[in-house]
């Protein structure tokens, strides 16, 4: 292997090398990038780059973006990504609502859906609702793609350019197998193979399943949030998405981030998970009483535990409950972290807000898109 990009001229790594090229095409934007620049930045030979780009052009994923003057000889042809050639549907399944987006290869959202949902209505009803929304958005993907020439087939979901569906919902769950565990308050989902069941319902469309918090964390990392950080999501439940060293940390059993069920009050009030005194139970109880400042302080206590355990750079908070009174939550979490920093003599980590009703759904779309460009999905 050679070159900063780590490209390798081996047939077995063709998908890896294609991802390197696609990522550079995406970053180049509408100005495009030449084949020689691609070879230089990936470490691949010009011949390998030519083969990859020829295939991408045949599939409609890349196109000419004009010519650029060279230092000698004829002008170089530059290539660009064709964003509308591929799409992903991102679905956020919450306990009481469904949000879905259709995103192109750039991650730009081109369509949205929102509907009430009862996660306790049973697998058949929930799968039927999700499949219907995905088919609607898949049809829009087909129309958006137009003559882009994407070679993918979306089967029963419709749309030649639909690469797959990302589904994000409360954990715990097995991300690798797409199997749900005991979602707090909905034990009937324990062991349900959501990935395979939805893919079958959609006629074989690839499906990726992950926790809502991991989806947002991935979206933030892909969007440029650097370093190591924790995203704390407080909505109908409480969880965390962890990014360590630039990658989403899921753990060997993909169970990391069950932040809401750390016990902070021994013999405290019962939690839906079966334990007592969990951060989630204390937080939601305070919110229900209208004591938002107390809820923020509890959230900050859990955040301080994470900072002490993981030595992360930044804490980000979001979710519909936080967005109801963002200033109170930011101030409360920041206050607890500043008090910790004074006790320890360490620099206080930054605290920020993640807003937007569709952030989970947009992150779910990245579960499909990010691996296309060689990023952690």
């Amino acid at each position: 292997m050679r070159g900063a990009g780590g490209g390798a001229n081996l047939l077995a790594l063709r998908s890896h090398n294609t991802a390197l090229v696609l990522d550079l095409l995406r970053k180049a934007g509408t100005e495009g990038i030449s084949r020689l620049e691609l070879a230089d930045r990936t470490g691949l030979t010009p011949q390998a780059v030519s083969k990859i780009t020829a295939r991408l052009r045949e599939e409609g994923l890349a196109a000419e973006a004009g010519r650029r003057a060279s230092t000698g000889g004829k002008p170089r042809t530059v290539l660009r990504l064709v964003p509308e050639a591929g799409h992903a549907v991102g679905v956020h399944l919450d306990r009481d609502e469904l949000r879905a987006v259709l995103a192109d290869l750039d991650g730009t959202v081109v369509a949205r859906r929102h509907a009430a949902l009862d996660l306790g209505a049973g697998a058949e009803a929930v799968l039927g609702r999700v499949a219907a929304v995905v088919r609607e958005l898949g049809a829009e993907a087909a129309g958006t793609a137009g003559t882009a020439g994407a070679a993918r087939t979306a089967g029963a979901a419709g749309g030649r350019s639909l690469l797959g569906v990302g589904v994000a919902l409360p954990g715990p769950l097995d991300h690798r197998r797409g199997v749900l565990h005991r979602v707090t308050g909905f034990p009937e989902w324990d062991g349900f193979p959501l990935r395979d069941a939805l893919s079958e319902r959609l006629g074989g469309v690839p499906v990726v399943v992950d926790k809502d918090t991991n989806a947002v964390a991935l979206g933030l990392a892909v969007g440029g949030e650097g370093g190591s950080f924790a995203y704390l999501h407080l909505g109908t439940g409480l969880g965390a998405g962890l990014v360590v060293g630039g990658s989403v940390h899921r753990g060997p059993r993909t169970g990391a981030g069950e932040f809401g069920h750390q016990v902070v009050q021994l013999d405290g009030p019962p939690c839906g998970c079966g334990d007592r005194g969990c951060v989630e139970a204390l937080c939601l109880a305070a919110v229900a009483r209208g004591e938002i400042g107390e809820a923020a302080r509890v959230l900050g206590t859990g955040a301080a535990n994470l900072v002490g355990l993981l030595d992360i750079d930044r804490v980000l908070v979001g979710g519909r409950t936080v967005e109801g009174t963002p200033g109170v939550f930011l101030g409360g979490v920041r206050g607890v972290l500043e008090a910790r920093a004074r006790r320890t003599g360490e620099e206080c980590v930054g605290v920020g807000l993640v807003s937007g009703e569709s952030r989970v759904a947009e992150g779910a779309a990245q579960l499909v898109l990010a691996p296309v460009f060689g990023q952690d999905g």
Side-chain angles (χ1 to χ4, degrees):
M1 300 179 75
R2 63 184 181 88
N9 296 302
L10 299 172
L11 181 61
L13 295 181
R14 188 177 75 169
S15 61
H16 166 73
N17 293 335
T18 300
L20 292 177
V21 171
L22 280 169
D23 188 43
L24 289 172
L25 287 170
R26 181 177 60 166
K27 290 175 179 176
T30 56
E31 292 184 4
I33 185 171
S34 72
R35 292 177 180 81
L36 286 178
E37 289 172 307
L38 288 170
D40 181 61
R41 296 184 191 182
T42 60
L44 295 167
T45 64
Q47 293 82 0
V49 167
S50 292
K51 289 182 180 178
I52 291 171
T53 55
R55 187 171 66 251
L56 292 177
R57 290 186 65 186
E58 288 174 6
E59 295 173 350
L61 296 170
E64 287 191 7
R67 295 180 179 274
R68 184 182 301 158
S70 65
T71 55
K74 64 180 182 179
R76 297 176 183 173
T77 299
V78 293
L79 302 171
R80 64 172 179 87
L81 184 71
V82 180
E84 64 272 20
H87 295 84
V89 171
V91 178
H92 176 198
L93 288 181
D94 209 341
R95 293 169 173 85
D96 59 356
E97 68 175 6
L98 177 156
R99 290 185 183 274
V101 300
L102 177 68
D104 66 17
L105 289 175
D106 269 337
T108 301
V109 174
V110 296
R112 302 177 189 270
R113 294 289 186 277
H114 177 221
L117 179 80
D118 178 7
L119 196 59
E124 185 65 23
V126 172
L127 283 178
R129 189 72 189 96
V130 173
V133 169
V134 171
R135 289 191 185 99
E136 288 178 17
L137 292 174
E140 292 202 28
T144 302
T147 58
R152 295 278 188 157
T153 299
R160 298 168 62 225
S161 74
L162 188 60
L163 304 178
V165 179
V167 181
L169 70 164
L173 52 80
D174 185 330
H175 165 65
R176 293 193 183 93
R177 296 190 302 129
V179 174
L180 305 188
H181 293 324
R182 193 175 291 268
V183 179
T184 304
F186 299 89
E188 65 272 21
W189 284 99
D190 189 14
F192 186 78
L194 178 59
R195 182 193 66 190
D196 293 346
L198 182 57
S199 180
E200 181 179 358
R201 181 71 68 100
L202 294 171
V205 175
V207 174
V208 184
V209 174
D210 206 346
K211 291 193 287 190
D212 46 12
T213 50
N214 287 344
V216 176
L218 174 63
L220 291 168
V222 169
E225 185 71 41
S228 299
F229 63 88
Y231 166 69
L232 310 183
H233 184 91
L234 179 60
T236 58
L238 174 61
L242 307 174
V243 172
V244 179
S247 298
V248 177
H249 176 70
R250 297 184 176 90
R253 288 165 294 281
T254 73
E258 287 301 305
F259 169 82
H261 300 297
Q262 56 174 308
V263 175
V264 294
Q265 182 182 333
L266 294 177
D267 300 320
C271 179
C273 72
D275 213 331
R276 303 182 70 90
C278 294
V279 175
E280 178 177 295
L282 295 171
C283 240
L284 294 179
V287 170
R289 295 193 303 268
E291 298 175 2
I292 306 303
E294 173 66 10
R297 188 180 69 83
V298 173
L299 185 61
T301 299
N305 289 342
L306 272 186
V307 171
L309 283 171
L310 300 178
D311 191 24
I312 52 181
D313 303 309
R314 191 163 164 80
V315 172
L316 303 171
V317 296
R320 72 167 89 162
T321 301
V322 169
E323 291 193 56
T325 50
V328 176
F329 277 101
L330 284 174
V333 172
R334 187 178 290 114
V336 175
L337 292 177
E338 287 175 347
R340 177 187 180 277
R342 287 192 295 270
R343 291 194 307 271
T344 62
E346 300 172 359
E347 182 179 351
C348 185
V349 302
V351 180
L353 174 69
V354 175
S355 60
E357 292 179 330
S358 299
R359 291 303 287 261
V360 176
E362 291 171 26
Q366 287 297 338
L367 293 170
V368 175
L369 295 174
V372 173
F373 301 97
Q375 296 170 301
D376 174 44

